[in-house]
Amino acid sequence: MRNMYIYLLIMAGVSYAIRVLPMTLIRKPIKNKFIQSFLYYVPYVTLAVMTFPAIVEATQSPISGCIALAVGLTAAWLGADLFKTAVLCCAAVLAVEMFLL
């Protein structure tokens, strides 16, 4: 039980340091284009890393998840809005799992 509190304190310290250190160490605006573009895309990459595995594992079969991912990517590439893309992905999962299972 004692180790759990030590782990929690270390985790809290690291989480706090990650948020406070950039504010205290970087006072001037960032002018480097590479760093600006890197920081711009960090939230999108983080969301993608959390979302893509869940898409494949959320269905009964990983095959239907992969097909839904392909359908969603295709629909988004062709300009479908978020609602249409979600409906097409759900329909793809439904169709694949009806024929697969």
Side-chain angles (χ1 to χ4, degrees), residues 8-93:
L8 285 173
L9 285 173
I10 291 171
M11 182 189 68
V14 169
S15 296
Y16 183 74
I18 289 171
R19 286 162 176 79
V20 169
L21 283 177
M23 290 190 309
T24 58
L25 297 178
I26 303 172
R27 302 260 178 185
K28 297 183 280 183
I30 298 172
K31 295 183 180 181
N32 187 329
K33 293 285 186 190
F34 177 76
I35 294 175
Q36 281 181 340
S37 64
F38 174 78
L39 293 174
Y40 178 79
Y41 287 108
V42 166
Y44 299 109
V45 170
T46 305
L47 183 62
V49 167
M50 292 187 303
T51 304
F52 287 147
I55 290 171
V56 176
E57 295 174 3
T59 59
Q60 289 181 357
S61 169
I63 295 170
S64 60
C66 290
I67 291 173
L69 177 62
V71 167
L73 287 173
T74 304
W77 183 268
L78 295 175
D81 62 359
L82 183 60
F83 181 73
K84 291 177 186 175
T85 303
V87 168
L88 288 171
C89 289
C90 292
V93 169

